[in-house]
Amino acid sequence: MNISRELFEQAKKIIPGGVNSPVRTCSGVGAEPLFIARAGGPYIYSEDGHELIDYVMSWGPMILGHCHPAVNRALHDSLDRGTSFGAPCRPEIDLARLIVEALPGVDMVRMVNSGTEATMSALRLARGFTGRSMVLKFNGCYHGHVDPFLASAGSGAATLCIPGTPGVPQEVVSGTLLADYNSLDQVKEIFEKHGQDIAAIFVEPAAGNMGLVLPEQGFLEGLRKLADDFGALLVFDEVITGFRVSYSGAQGYYGIVPDITCLGKIIGGGLPVGAYGGKRIIMEKIAPCGDVYQAGTLSGNPLAMTAGYQTLKTLQTMDYLALENKTAELAQNLKKILEEKGIPVQLNALASIFTLFFSADPVTDFASAKKSDQNLFKKFYNQMRQQGIYLAPSGFECAFNSFAHGPGEWEKTLEAARKVRF
Ligand code: KE4
């Protein structure tokens, strides 16, 4: 009896692909999805009763671990007061205040309901504030399924785009410019050609959607200077890195202050939340104080605000450096185990995130990430999952450690890696 398989067959009849987000099918690694019944701490439990150590952690939100007592207690209390009012409520101020106090680049913040909604709104704001229409993003960076960002490099000049998916008209991506991550020369060239028309640079300050790719020395500083020199805005998509790489996000970790910051994942504590924030003069351009329109029925609902608030309050008491060190130790030991099997591995790690690329060459951008051996990753993923270690079902995602993982989980993870056969 395979309950997950049965549920997957049922789901496929009424939900496209049987999932509410494509990566969850696990088709990229030749596996079927596990249907999860419950989770607690660093563990998830499948409908078939299997316990697995979770390094997906809902793709980042669960940095405290699943069912953190303080978060769940706060949610239970909030539930009995109502789930959504469609009117201002105190928890919105409480969470907004924590975000503003934590992030150097955020004087004001608007809540939305997903990372996609955050980046979509931030793009409209950047265009409205600057009066310009073009936007520059980086190959391999993902900013949610916003039409102008679903663009692929066109032929010839790398900067001109074609739609990355059906349903996005050419004219929607004609204002999107593409460069390679960590390539300041390409960015300079693009600005020299289009500089007066570029509203914003959108960048993941540490990129988590091609596997983890870190900014090279001077890259973020260079983007900051180019944005300033040409009157464009610098937008940090911190949906993954916000409150993950440090309590002050990547902007605090790297010491670069963006004009707008996009958030999601951790600030919702597992409930649907996104946010975008920035300098006051920019944020006051947003309706109703400004004329750039954005709205949302469930934005700022008390339940999600409560989960986010309690998560951040708890994070204020946690030792990020200790978790960073433990994550580095785990990742380096995994790399060592694989190399002892004759498997070339590149490790990219930052704070509590890491990616093992099955490649002999360093991974510094999307092109080098794509050179990694996905067949080796597939073998690794499936044999680790069979041994109760739940990794992201793609070689272009990250592993997320948490404050709930401990020596027992890390040792079990290493033991499982030792038994993988390639
Ligand atoms: P959501 O709309 O999925 O909440 O956020 C979109 C988004 C925006 N920016 C960054 C940097 C992101 O990583 C994401 C979403 N991340 C993916 C995984 N890397 C979510 C998983 C999924 O699509 O199911």
Side-chain angles (χ1 to χ4, degrees):
M1 161 93 90
N2 185 328
I3 298 173
S4 280
R5 175 167 295 166
E6 277 187 26
L7 291 171
F8 191 36
E9 291 311 312
Q10 288 177 35
K12 283 192 280 192
K13 293 188 178 74
I14 48 179
I15 302 170
V19 291
N20 283 307
S21 199
V23 70
R24 300 178 191 172
T25 57
C26 301
S27 56
V29 287
E32 290 186 347
L34 296 178
F35 275 64
I36 306 305
R38 63 182 180 89
Y43 294 98
I44 52 172
Y45 301 86
S46 74
E47 287 283 356
D48 294 277
H50 299 144
E51 176 185 83
L52 299 101
I53 299 172
D54 186 6
Y55 287 102
V56 177
M57 301 307 276
S58 181
W59 303 94
M62 311 317 292
I63 189 171
L64 292 175
H66 296 286
C67 289
H68 187 279
V71 177
N72 276 26
R73 205 169 27 252
L75 275 174
H76 281 296
D77 294 347
S78 176
L79 199 53
D80 295 337
R81 294 194 292 273
T83 56
S84 180
F85 309 133
C89 63
R90 189 190 294 271
E92 290 173 295
I93 304 172
D94 295 342
L95 180 55
R97 183 172 289 118
L98 290 186
I99 292 171
V100 163
E101 287 169 351
L103 302 182
V106 180
D107 301 331
M108 299 186 91
V109 62
R110 167 63 60 84
M111 298 296 168
V112 291
N113 300 282
S114 70
T116 294
E117 206 181 339
T119 59
M120 174 182 73
S121 309
L123 175 57
R124 186 179 312 130
L125 172 59
R127 286 170 159 169
F129 182 77
T130 61
R132 299 176 178 183
S133 62
M134 299 192 95
V135 60
L136 187 152
K137 74 173 289 284
F138 295 90
N139 289 312
C141 282
Y142 176 66
H143 303 297
H145 59 93
V146 189
D147 281 1
F149 291 139
L150 295 181
S152 302
S155 58
T159 58
L160 296 180
C161 289
I162 55 174
T165 167
V168 175
Q170 176 61 45
E171 56 269 23
V172 168
V173 297
S174 59
T176 306
L177 299 159
L178 277 178
D180 289 328
Y181 200 79
N182 278 319
S183 175
L184 266 185
D185 291 347
Q186 287 182 20
V187 179
K188 282 179 187 143
E189 193 182 318
I190 290 170
F191 266 92
E192 278 154 13
K193 191 171 179 186
H194 301 283
Q196 301 312 318
D197 300 320
I198 296 176
I201 300 169
F202 269 69
V203 66
E204 292 180 62
N209 287 287
M210 42 182 146
L212 179 65
V213 173
L214 303 182
E216 290 177 341
Q217 185 63 40
F219 178 59
L220 298 177
E221 295 81 349
L223 296 182
R224 179 68 276 175
K225 184 173 184 318
L226 281 165
D228 292 339
D229 290 351
F230 286 88
L233 300 184
L234 178 61
V235 182
F236 273 8
D237 179 346
E238 293 225 43
V239 169
I240 287 180
T241 56
F243 297 95
R244 167 61 69 173
V245 299
S246 83
Y247 187 75
S248 54
Q251 58 196 265
Y253 191 90
Y254 290 113
I256 304 289
V257 180
D259 298 302
I260 299 175
T261 300
C262 301
L263 298 166
K265 296 184 194 279
I266 287 174
I267 65 163
L271 270 69
V273 181
Y276 62 105
K279 295 171 179 166
R280 181 175 300 277
I281 188 171
I282 299 172
M283 292 306 292
E284 288 182 338
K285 189 72 177 160
I286 282 287
C289 40
D291 53 2
V292 174
Y293 192 69
Q294 182 269 314
T297 303
L298 293 172
S299 298
N301 78 80
L303 214 51
M305 295 299 98
T306 298
Y309 175 81
Q310 195 53 58
T311 296
L312 297 196
K313 281 301 279 182
T314 307
L315 282 172
Q316 288 179 355
T317 68
M318 307 307 280
D319 186 342
Y320 275 82
L321 185 58
L323 184 59
E324 175 166 354
N325 293 335
K326 285 297 181 189
T327 305
E329 186 184 345
L330 169 67
Q332 283 153 14
N333 284 332
L334 283 170
K335 179 175 188 288
K336 186 166 174 286
I337 289 167
L338 292 169
E339 286 174 336
E340 283 166 357
K341 296 173 184 287
I343 302 294
V345 172
Q346 300 296 319
L347 166 64
N348 288 356
L350 173 65
S352 51
I353 321 174
F354 66 94
T355 298
L356 293 165
F357 291 97
F358 289 85
S359 172
D361 304 316
V363 176
T364 58
D365 60 12
F366 196 29
S368 46
K370 284 192 285 189
K371 283 185 193 156
S372 58
D373 187 322
Q374 295 310 305
N375 286 324
L376 287 177
F377 176 77
K378 198 166 159 181
K379 285 181 184 164
F380 183 64
Y381 170 84
N382 283 292
Q383 291 182 53
M384 291 292 273
R385 191 169 106 173
Q386 282 150 19
Q387 298 182 81
I389 310 299
Y390 192 68
L391 299 170
S394 161
F396 302 109
E397 297 285 357
C398 302
F400 293 95
N401 208 347
S402 88
F403 288 107
H405 290 72
E409 287 75 36
W410 296 322
E411 187 41 46
K412 278 183 198 165
T413 305
L414 296 175
E415 197 43 45
R418 289 187 190 99
K419 293 176 181 168
V420 172
R421 296 286 171 266
F422 290 96

